[in-house]
Structure formats: structure tokens, C-alpha cells
Amino acid sequence: MHDDRSLVEARLKRVLDERIRPAVYPESVPLDVAVWHAPGEPVPVAEGLAAEPEPIAVGARWGAPWGTSWFRVTGTVPEAWAGKTVEALLDLGFDENMPGFQCEGLVYRPDGTPVKGLNPRNQWVRIGAPAEGGEEVRLHIEAASNPVILDYHPFVPTRLGDKETAGSAPQYTLTRMDLAVFDETVWQLVIDLEVLGELMAELPADAQRRWDVLRAVERALDAVDLQDVNGTAAAARAELTGVLAAPAVPSAHRISAVGHAHIDSAWLWPLRETVRKVARTTSNMTALLEDEPEFVFAMSQAQQWAWVRDHRPEVWARVKKAVAEGRFVPAGGMWVESDTNMPGSEAMARQFVHGKRFFLDEFGIENDEAWLPDTFGFAAGLPQIIKAAGSKYLLTQKISWSQTNKFPHHTFRWEGIDGTRIFTHFPPVDTYNCSMRGSELAHAERNFKDKGVARHSLAPTGWGDGGGGTTREMIAKAARVKNLEGSPTVVWEPPHAFFAKAEAEYPEPPVWVGELYLELHRATLTSQARTKQGNRRSEHLLREAELWAATAAVRTGFPYPYEELDRIWKTVLLHQFHDILPGSSIAWVHREARATYERVAAELTGIVEAAQRALAGEGEVPLVFNAAPHPRCGIPAGGAATPATEGQTTREDRPGGGHVLSNGHLRVEIDGRGLVVSVYDVEAARETLAPGQAANLLQLHPDFPNMWDAWDVDKFYRNTVTDLTEAGAVTAGEDGRSVRVARSFGSSTVTQVLSLAPGERRLVIDTEVDWHETEKFLKLAFPLDVHAERYASETQFGHFHRPTHTNTSWEAAKFEACNHRFVHLEEPGWGVAIVNDSTYGHDVTRTVRTDGDGGTTTTVRVSLLRAPRFPDPETDQGVHRFRHALVPGAGIGDAVREGWRINVPERHLTGAAEVAPLVTADHDAVVITAVKLADDGSGDVVVRFHEAHGGRARATLTTGFPLAAATVTDLLERPLAHAPAPAVDGDRIAVRLRPFELVTLRLRRG
């Protein structure tokens, strides 16, 4: 037989596009349309419905950027359509290739009841099948004219990302507003042919199945009368019955489809628009669930559920009903799908506390999985947090985006820094927006790396990013491939059902140890510095507010601000979403974030000051409050006392220019350029800096990645560097312990104050940059005379080691990485820490000494600022302030302590007497991260702590109040059934911790 595959396949494409798809709606009549453009921000539904609209015609332009227009569409069903299925086709000017990225709408009935959402892949509204013609139709559309930020030519700088700069030019053309007859037989034929055509394309050219399908498709096309598609569609479908009924082979890959609509809580739209996106999507999904009995939809991010509850009560009622039926499934158990690299220990824990508690309170449901399909890599401290929250699974897809190395597993156990292992799945479909195309299903089967030992994978199915969710077309396709020869099998089921099956069939999968590093989007550790500073400072202020409020509540009866702290935590957690904290959202999002963080800081500072005043009492004793988990200057951790002072710092002129600071511990030379050329550790009798190199060196690189401007820094940025060595002025500080350095570069200026306090082993560097560069990357370099094959970066509840070399492609790919408060590197017996108050990105490299005696040195560079132009063309322009400290002679315990110290400064007050801590630990490695009152209002004290040095620790916790009982709990403060009760002796609790172990204790007061 001649090979006519191409001929038949080309025929299929044209006939589908030009004859069969148009015949789905064989008859139509126009609707009458009127519109009212809301001034300013969106208005309540009642106001939009009551507004008096003006007529508008199809073809007219509408929609200023970020505007809201209320369309009223009216019409009459023709008498001749009696008994036929009628739908409204409402096209606001959609580009079907951009679901979730442009204008959208929510359709209402005249009484304000939401019907469903409109988006480029979902433009229909079912009117019904009237027994008689003449039915009046009246619908209202709340249409959002969100501008297209990420266009066909992506990453082009645009001012559309903020309503303050976007202008008012209409964005869209009203395209179609019709009533139409819906021919379900033709629609089903379209699905039949799409499924079979897509299946054919994935089968081997010499496979019998491919030819069977080809001939059946050919017979179906022969059966279609192109002049009467509607009259012959049933006959065409009959020709396909046999090939659609052929069952899958027993060894077929098995896909669990989960209805899904990944909705970024903010990204190329502001938070307020996400509130409406969620309402549109949940309206669609609840309607679809009513029509499709096998369909199951899962939605993560408790914040988004709360938005529906608080802003769309009618939709919420439908959601609650579907949840009760087990078909609308809470997923993930986190407040938002957050970044996991940068959030601090407590914040990462609270993502699960607030997320899981919401689902428990609202539905009595506790899910087992962390659901993070789009997060940009995963910190090595996350597994034990997941476990401590009572969960045991993780799903993500994003690691498939890595540019350099292909991850070797799709199902595995992920081991974190403390040894906790979490059963983890990467969907091999390689998308969180699966649409049930044959190419996607075939890719999932071919790509699955665990063949031979497992055959289950998951496919999050539905349009996402900007929402939209699953469509009726996707469900129809899934029904045909439920058991179809040549295809993986597909069944709709919730995430927990998939994980139960996957774990049962693969109980001993391979283990991956350490972070799940995404070899992409590395610049998200630096972009939008003010957002990152706001997050870091909010985290520490929340810790302070809880600590001092709890202490004051126990000691003085101070009213513990439960509701305020709950609300503020949720605000901070929301802003840790994986496009806000990473700095990859539009200007509007980050402008609002800065204002939010200012309000949070003011409110938390007020709580702290009120609690401390209650504790201090009235008096003239000078008190210093220390909220850090380590004593300092004679002040206990979590207490207040009069500080002790020791020693002094001297300053002298340096021969050849510059200054020398010395305090008996360190001798620091700063040359006439403002660079640190020597940091001599007096006690260890050794130099900290690499021979011939200077620290405090600002370096400027060009920064124009190949794509994803705010997200990416490509390795070639290092090919060109400018050392900023020309100082405008280097002057001694009036305090006798500091040196001020001023310099300029490009259109920017920088001022630094380098200070060495009496008795301290750290050189503090305060940097203020007035930044006006574009597409540049600013680093702060510290070349160290330390031979280190690995270094430590702080992560949640511990630290993680990375190599300093690039032996393999896996190591070379980590050319920009994340740390929290410190990085630390050492030789046996002597190390160096670099601590910071608000930066995350850094790089570490090694080189051979330049003084001729061989050996290696190690350079740590802190990432300060970037200047990408997409999606925010003014990213980080303006004044920024950073604080770093170089700590020579530091062990890992010193790094931990100094990291806390630079982030939690002392607070000064006068009062009646010293304030004793509420809870103390007698072991330096046992770090208390939270002291608070229990969330249930019982008055119990909750203390969370972990082993921070990477070793084992036996410690005693002592309470500053009568202790009745101590209980080990999970993060949600519920007793752990299998945890042994800690030994309690009066007000003392004996604890034993393994490396990096996290413990939460609930303490009942006597």
C-alpha cells in the first residue's frame, strides 16, 4: 500500500479547522450589548449591575489598562430554536493563545448570581434547551481589561505593569457577542478527531495501531458531507467507534489527572486582580463539577480560598458543597505557594501552620501533600518542616526547567538536612498546565524515568498562571483516553489518591539528598531588594512581637494580640509568594509590597514597644532588650538588662593612606581607596584576606540574560567586571571606631561606613547605594585566605553545605545560590563568616594564591542589586541600605550567633528592673526560634527550637514561670502521639537533639 499518511493527516487538519469546528455552532444571532466603564478600582457587584450602561457595538475598542467594564448583553432565543441547546458566545477580544494573560470576565445573572468565568479558552455560557422559542436572555459581564505584559515578543520593557504609568488607551476589541445553537454531536466529533489525530502523531510510523487509526479517520472524513456537517456528523462518529473502543495494553503508563488552575497570587497582575481571577476560576470549576461526574478539581493556597470566602460568598457556597462531596479538593496545606529558598525558618513553618489550619477550620480536612508546582527550587531544610506540619508528600514540576542537568528521577524520597525523607513526585508531563493533548500524554510516558519499577504519574490539568482551570474539552479528551490503545490510561482523582497508589507501588524509591536546586531563575535571590528587606525585617519583627508579648502576658497580664499577629503573619506569608518575594512581579505589586511592609513594621513595632514598656515598668534603670536567641554583652537571650562593656577601639592613620582600626581582637587596614586590605586575627595570629587581594570590593557586571530578565542571571555575566576602586573620599568617623567611604560609578553613588566595635570580632560594613543603573549587577567581594572545598549557607532550621569547586556540571550550575543570615567557610580550627541583614544571593569561587607559595583561596561575593527592565522597568532604582559583617576566626556557632545579632538589634528602654527571659536554653547549639502563646488561646507557652551546629546536643530548657507539663507537638501545636514526653524537673526540661532536629514544645503553666 502506498504511504499516504501525510495526505490524510493534512486533510484532517484542514477539514477540522475549516468545516467541522465552525459547525459546532451552526446558527447564531447577535446579542444587544451595552457597557459601563467603572471609574478607578473595581466596584461591588451590586453597583456594577445597577449602573446604567451605554450601547457598544462588536468591533469597538474597550478597556483601559487595569480597568473594569460592566457589559450587559440581552437577546431573545429565536422561535425556530425550540428544543435545541443554546449557548451565548461572549468574546471580549480574546487571543486564544493567551489564557490567563489578558482580559477576562465573570458572568452574572441579573440577580447577581455568578455563572462562570470567561477567558480565551472558555467563551461560552450555557443558556439551555428551551422547549419553546422566545426566551429572553440577560447576562452581565464584569470584564477586566488587564493588559498583556508578556507578549509574543517577550521581556520587552513596558510601562503597563502599573496603573500609575499604564495610560488609558483601550486595549481590546469586542469581537463576538452572539446567541448560538450548540451542536453537541459535531462537538463530540471534534473531540474524537482531535484525540485520534494527536494519538497518531505520537505512534511509530510503522505501528499497526497508527495505521488502524489513520484508516478510521479517513473513513470518518469520507462520511462527512462538507456541505452538511451537522447532518452527517453522527455517521462520521460511527466510523471511529472501533478505534476508540480498543483498550490500552496492560503495561500502559497510568496517569492520575487532577483538575488544576495554577493561579499566581500576584505576578503580571496585582493582588486585587488575583482575588477576581480566583472567583472566575472557582465559578467555572464548580459549574464543571456539576456537569461532569468523574471530574475532580484541586486548588492550593489557603489565601486564595479565603479570598473566595471573603469576597464572593455565593461562589463560596458552591465551593463548600463541592468540597463536602470530595470533588473540590484543598491541596498543599500552605498559605500560598511560596518561595522556599528565602523564607526564614519560622516563616516557612507558618506557611504550613496557617494553610493547614484554614482547611481544618473550614472543612475539617487535613491534606498530606505540599503542592508547589511552580516554585523556583527547594531549600534543604524543607523536608522536616513538611513532616513537622503533619504532611508526608511533595509535588513540584519546576525542576524540569533546569537548563544544565536533567534530574534523574520522577518519583523519589527527598532527604533534608536533618535526615527527614519526604516522598516526592515530579510529574513527567513537564507542565502544570496539562490540556490532555496527545503529545503531552505521550511525553509523560516516554519521559518517565522510573519505568520498570513504577508506572504512575500525575498530570495537573487545566489552564493556569493566570487561572482558568480545566475545560470541558479536556474532560472529554480524558474520557476517551481513559482506556485507549496506544495511550497512557487516564483517571481523574485527587492528589492523595495518586500519592497513595504511587507510594504503594514504589515503597523504596531512590533518595536525593540536599537541596533541589533549580538551574534557572537564580537572579530571583536578588531582584527587588526592598521587597526582600521588607520580608526579612518583618520575619524578625514578628518573632520579637511574639516573644515580648508572650513574656509580658505571662508576667504582667498584658493582652496577647492574637488577632493582630494572625493577620500580620498572613500578610507576610502572602508576600512570600513565589513571584513576589523573588522580585519577578510587575511594578504595581512591588510598589504595594513596600507600602505593606512599612505598615507591618509600624504595627509590629507598636506591639513590641507596648509589651516592653509593660515588662520594664516605671523607673530610670537603663535596660537593653535582647530578642536574639543568644546572650550578648551580659544581656540574656530573650531578656533585658544593663549592658556590660569591654575594651576599646583605636584608630590610626595607615602609612601610604587610609586608616587602621584595632580593638585587641582584630586589626583592620583600610587603604586610601576605601578597600579593606588586611583583617588580622590577633588571637589566631593569621591574616583573613587572600594575599594581594582587597575585601569590601564592589564589583559591577553587565547583566542582560537571554530571557526572563528579573528571574535570570546567565553565567556569562562574569566575563566582564568593573572593580569599583576609585573612592571619592575616605574619612575617619567621629566615634573613633569607624571609617566612611564614598564613591560614585555610572549614574550611582555609594557610601559605606566600616566599623569595629570594642570587644567584637566582626567588621561591620553599612552600605548605602543610590542606584540608577540599568541591566547591571552589583556584588560585594570578600577574597579570603581560607582553603575550603565546601562552605555552609544558612537555611531553614540549620545550614547546608555546597562545594566551592566545579568538578561536575551539577556543581558548575550552582554559580548563584541562596543563604539566609550567613555563609561560613573554614579550615580545621579556624573559619570565617559573612553575615547579612537582608541579602540572599551570593557566589563562592576558589583560586590559587598569587604569592607563589601555592594553595587555594576562597572568594565570597554577596549580591546586592540588579537592574532588570522586565517586568518592572524601574526595578530597584533609588536608595538602598545594607548591613554586612565579616567575622574572622568564626566557627559555625559564631556564624549562627552573629547572623542573629545583625538581624535582631538591641532595643533601649528605661525601667524599674531587669527582665528575665521566659524560656532559656543552656546549650549554644540549641537555638530558640519562637516563643509565643498557643494559638488556641489557652495561655500555654509554645517554644520552638532546633539544633543549629549540625551535631548532637543535650540541653536544659529553663522556664521563667511555674511549669505544670511539657508536651512535644507538631507545628500546629497538636501533641505528637509517638514522641516521648520530655523529662521535666520543676522548671527545667531536659532535651536531646540530633543534628538540625526541630522540636516544638507546648508548656502548660502551673
Side-chain angles (χ1 to χ4, degrees):
M1 180 180 289
H2 296 296
D3 185 349
D4 61 349
R5 287 178 302 114
S6 298
L7 189 68
V8 176
E9 290 165 4
R11 180 188 179 193
L12 171 62
K13 182 179 187 307
R14 184 175 187 193
V15 172
L16 260 177
D17 288 346
E18 297 184 22
R19 293 293 187 270
I20 302 180
R21 287 195 185 98
V24 170
Y25 293 103
E27 302 175 74
S28 64
V29 295
L31 289 159
D32 293 323
V33 188
V35 65
W36 175 71
H37 302 294
E41 285 295 279
V43 300
V45 173
E47 184 176 343
L49 295 176
E52 189 59 40
E54 297 181 353
I56 185 173
V58 167
R61 300 285 289 174
W62 72 279
W66 306 116
T68 299
S69 298
W70 283 83
F71 291 93
R72 184 187 66 197
V73 295
T74 56
T76 304
V77 177
E79 299 285 349
W81 292 3
K84 298 180 180 180
T85 300
V86 179
E87 293 185 345
L89 301 181
L90 308 173
D91 186 343
L92 299 171
F94 295 128
D95 180 339
E96 70 170 11
N97 295 316
M98 288 191 171
F101 291 94
Q102 52 174 253
C103 61
E104 300 168 62
L106 182 56
V107 180
Y108 297 88
R109 296 188 179 91
D111 64 0
T113 304
V115 180
K116 69 188 295 286
L118 299 176
N119 63 61
R121 298 293 180 98
N122 206 328
Q123 304 175 23
W124 58 273
V125 176
R126 179 64 58 89
I127 301 301
E132 300 179 359
E135 178 181 334
E136 297 297 321
V137 175
R138 183 186 182 99
L139 298 170
H140 297 262
I141 307 168
E142 180 189 16
S145 51
N146 303 330
V148 175
I149 306 295
L150 190 67
D151 214 332
Y152 284 95
H153 185 181
F155 317 121
V156 173
T158 175
R159 297 284 177 179
L160 291 172
D162 195 328
K163 64 177 181 178
E164 295 184 352
T165 60
S168 58
Q171 302 288 293
Y172 297 102
T173 300
L174 198 63
T175 301
R176 185 177 186 181
M177 294 276 156
D178 288 348
L179 280 179
V181 171
F182 175 71
D183 188 327
E184 183 167 358
T185 302
V186 176
W187 182 83
Q188 296 285 4
L189 176 61
V190 170
I191 303 299
D192 290 343
L193 291 171
E194 286 183 349
V195 167
L196 292 171
E198 291 164 3
L199 176 65
M200 274 196 301
E202 301 303 323
L203 294 171
D206 58 356
Q208 178 69 37
R209 174 64 169 164
R210 179 162 182 162
W211 287 93
D212 290 346
V213 172
L214 184 83
R215 293 304 166 214
V217 167
E218 185 176 38
R219 292 193 300 272
L221 295 176
D222 290 342
V224 174
D225 182 346
L226 299 185
Q227 309 308 314
D228 184 16
V229 173
N230 301 88
T232 56
R237 291 200 71 202
E239 297 294 339
L240 302 174
T241 302
V243 290
L244 284 170
V249 298
S251 61
H253 186 67
R254 299 167 186 173
I255 292 177
S256 298
V258 179
H260 188 239
H262 174 66
I263 303 178
D264 288 308
S265 290
W267 180 27
L268 305 180
W269 46 85
L271 287 167
R272 66 92 153 143
E273 192 55 33
T274 314
V275 176
R276 302 200 295 176
K277 283 178 175 286
V278 174
R280 297 174 198 128
T281 296
T282 51
S283 295
N284 270 352
M285 294 305 97
T286 51
L288 200 57
L289 286 165
E290 292 175 0
D291 295 337
E292 303 289 348
E294 293 188 358
F295 177 51
V296 176
F297 182 77
M299 189 169 87
S300 68
Q301 307 193 73
Q303 170 68 87
Q304 295 187 1
W305 291 72
W307 281 333
V308 178
R309 180 196 62 189
D310 298 341
H311 295 274
R312 289 290 193 270
E314 303 90 347
V315 180
W316 181 246
R318 288 157 54 180
V319 168
K320 289 185 70 174
K321 177 177 179 292
V323 171
E325 295 167 351
R327 309 208 23 235
F328 199 123
V329 182
M334 297 174 68
W335 190 247
V336 294
E337 289 181 13
S338 74
D339 180 79
T340 76
N341 286 311
M342 291 176 282
S345 302
E346 273 303 308
M348 200 75 255
R350 304 301 175 94
Q351 286 285 354
F352 288 90
V353 169
H354 286 282
K356 298 196 81 169
R357 187 169 287 147
F358 180 89
F359 294 138
L360 283 164
D361 290 347
E362 294 292 339
F363 309 114
I365 290 175
E366 181 167 7
N367 41 8
D368 289 334
E369 76 287 334
W371 184 275
L372 293 165
D374 191 31
T375 296
F376 309 151
F378 300 88
L382 187 57
Q384 77 163 331
I385 298 173
I386 295 173
K387 181 180 179 181
S391 297
K392 56 184 179 180
Y393 304 124
L394 169 66
L395 179 133
T396 184
Q397 178 271 326
K398 200 67 173 186
I399 301 299
S400 70
W401 286 40
S402 285
Q403 288 180 316
T404 306
N405 298 286
K406 190 75 172 175
F407 198 81
H409 318 295
H410 281 108
T411 301
F412 59 99
R413 292 198 187 275
W414 176 30
E415 181 178 317
I417 56 174
D418 75 314
T420 296
R421 292 180 176 180
I422 294 296
F423 190 87
T424 302
H425 181 66
F426 293 174
V429 71
D430 280 351
T431 178
Y432 46 79
N433 296 322
C434 177
S435 60
M436 285 290 133
R437 291 197 310 270
S439 57
E440 294 171 329
L441 303 180
H443 176 77
E445 182 164 24
R446 286 194 297 263
N447 187 41
F448 189 57
K449 295 189 178 302
D450 304 301
K451 296 182 183 76
V453 287
R455 62 179 55 172
H456 278 86
S457 72
L458 186 145
T461 302
W463 300 117
D465 292 314
T470 318
T471 65
R472 63 183 177 183
E473 289 78 13
M474 296 174 193
I475 294 175
K477 286 187 171 186
R480 286 158 175 79
V481 296
K482 183 176 182 179
N483 186 19
L484 181 64
E485 183 184 355
S487 170
T489 64
V490 174
V491 60
W492 294 102
E493 57 187 357
H496 63 81
F498 160 75
F499 275 110
K501 290 179 181 178
E503 190 172 29
E505 79 168 356
Y506 204 13
E508 296 297 332
V511 176
W512 181 270
V513 178
E515 67 183 332
L516 294 170
Y517 180 92
L518 177 63
E519 296 170 354
L520 193 73
H521 293 358
R522 303 166 180 91
T524 57
L525 303 173
T526 305
S527 297
Q528 297 287 2
R530 293 185 190 91
T531 299
K532 291 170 171 58
Q533 287 182 332
N535 173 73
R536 177 78 69 85
R537 290 167 185 172
S538 296
E539 288 179 352
H540 287 99
L541 279 168
L542 276 161
R543 182 186 187 278
E544 281 198 82
E546 288 182 339
L547 169 67
W548 298 124
T551 306
V554 172
R555 296 277 168 69
T556 71
F558 179 82
Y560 191 79
Y562 291 100
E563 293 183 2
E564 293 89 338
L565 290 171
D566 179 79
R567 172 176 46 78
I568 295 170
W569 262 119
K570 289 173 179 174
T571 298
V572 173
L573 297 177
L574 167 59
H575 286 78
Q576 291 178 340
F577 178 75
H578 66 253
D579 276 307
I580 303 180
L581 180 55
S584 47
S585 288
I586 55 174
W588 187 347
V589 173
H590 292 289
R591 172 172 56 80
E592 287 190 333
R594 291 192 293 271
T596 298
Y597 284 130
E598 288 178 3
R599 291 194 300 271
V600 163
E603 190 168 1
L604 289 173
T605 299
I607 293 172
V608 169
E609 290 176 347
Q612 288 181 340
R613 173 48 57 201
L615 286 164
E618 297 299 326
E620 301 301 322
V621 177
L623 297 175
V624 175
F625 282 78
N626 172 25
H630 307 92
R632 64 172 71 159
C633 302
I635 309 164
T642 302
T645 58
E646 62 169 294
Q648 63 177 353
T649 298
T650 63
R651 187 209 60 81
E652 59 188 49
D653 292 336
R654 177 178 177 272
H659 305 271
V660 177
L661 301 175
S662 181
N663 67 358
H665 297 290
L666 300 178
R667 185 176 185 275
V668 179
E669 294 188 34
I670 303 160
D671 70 8
R673 302 170 297 172
L675 303 180
V676 178
V677 293
S678 175
V679 180
Y680 188 76
D681 184 338
V682 175
E683 296 172 14
R686 65 173 287 172
E687 175 58 53
T688 303
L689 304 185
Q693 302 295 307
N696 190 42
L697 175 63
L698 289 163
Q699 295 182 305
L700 193 66
H701 296 270
D703 184 18
F704 188 63
N706 288 344
M707 58 193 306
W708 298 109
D709 296 42
W711 295 256
D712 282 359
V713 56
D714 289 329
K715 195 170 186 177
F716 54 72
Y717 87 92
R718 291 184 178 178
N719 295 349
T720 306
V721 61
T722 301
D723 292 343
L724 304 180
T725 58
E726 295 186 9
V730 180
T731 56
E734 296 181 1
D735 57 7
R737 61 176 72 170
S738 64
V739 173
R740 182 180 183 276
V741 180
R743 64 180 87 246
S744 61
F745 57 95
S747 301
S748 305
T749 60
V750 58
T751 301
Q752 293 180 295
V753 176
L754 292 77
S755 55
L756 182 65
E760 301 293 345
R761 299 183 55 85
R762 58 185 185 138
L763 174 67
V764 176
I765 302 170
D766 288 294
T767 302
E768 180 179 293
V769 186
D770 190 2
W771 180 246
H772 296 284
E773 308 306 302
T774 58
E775 296 167 351
K776 295 289 193 295
F777 196 1
L778 184 64
K779 293 264 190 174
L780 180 62
F782 298 88
L784 306 172
D785 193 10
V786 177
H787 175 94
E789 294 185 0
R790 66 176 192 170
Y791 73 99
S793 295
E794 188 184 34
T795 188
Q796 292 97 0
F797 299 111
H799 57 266
F800 174 68
H801 286 101
R802 298 187 184 93
T804 60
H805 57 76
T806 55
N807 282 357
T808 72
S809 58
W810 294 88
E811 292 138 3
K814 295 184 179 182
F815 58 83
E816 185 79 6
C818 183
N819 66 278
H820 288 185
R821 288 168 291 227
F822 70 80
V823 296
H824 175 261
L825 57 161
E826 66 180 340
E827 298 170 359
W830 194 87
V832 180
I834 296 171
V835 300
N836 72 84
D837 75 339
S838 60
T839 56
Y840 296 92
H842 69 275
D843 67 78
V844 178
T845 55
R846 63 206 308 261
T847 188
V848 176
R849 291 166 61 98
T850 59
D851 59 1
D853 71 348
T856 58
T857 63
T858 309
T859 298
V860 178
R861 298 198 309 162
V862 176
S863 302
L864 296 182
L865 289 166
R866 299 183 68 239
R869 300 184 63 212
F870 182 88
D872 176 3
E874 300 295 326
T875 301
D876 277 335
Q877 301 299 296
V879 176
H880 303 267
R881 296 176 181 86
F882 308 95
R883 172 168 283 192
H884 295 84
L886 176 67
V887 189
I892 193 68
D894 301 302
V896 173
R897 188 183 314 106
E898 293 294 341
W900 275 99
R901 179 166 188 170
I902 202 170
N903 281 273
V904 186
E906 302 94 342
R907 294 181 182 271
H908 296 259
L909 208 64
T910 58
E914 295 183 354
V915 177
L918 203 59
V919 181
T920 59
D922 66 354
H923 196 301
D924 191 55
V926 177
V927 173
I928 296 174
T929 60
V931 177
K932 59 189 287 293
L933 293 193
D935 291 339
D936 61 6
S938 63
D940 291 352
V941 175
V942 172
V943 56
R944 188 153 29 249
F945 53 94
H946 70 288
E947 196 288 320
H949 294 182
R952 297 185 182 271
R954 298 178 64 178
T956 299
L957 269 60
T958 303
T959 62
F961 55 88
L963 178 62
T967 305
V968 180
T969 74
D970 65 6
L971 294 180
L972 277 70
E973 301 167 9
R974 303 174 298 190
L976 288 176
H978 303 295
V984 176
D985 181 9
D987 60 358
R988 295 159 63 85
I989 308 165
V991 296
R992 301 181 67 169
L993 283 79
R994 51 180 164 74
F996 300 127
E997 183 178 3
L998 164 64
V999 178
T1000 303
L1001 289 181
R1002 184 174 182 133
L1003 309 179
R1004 183 158 54 87
R1005 292 149 58 189

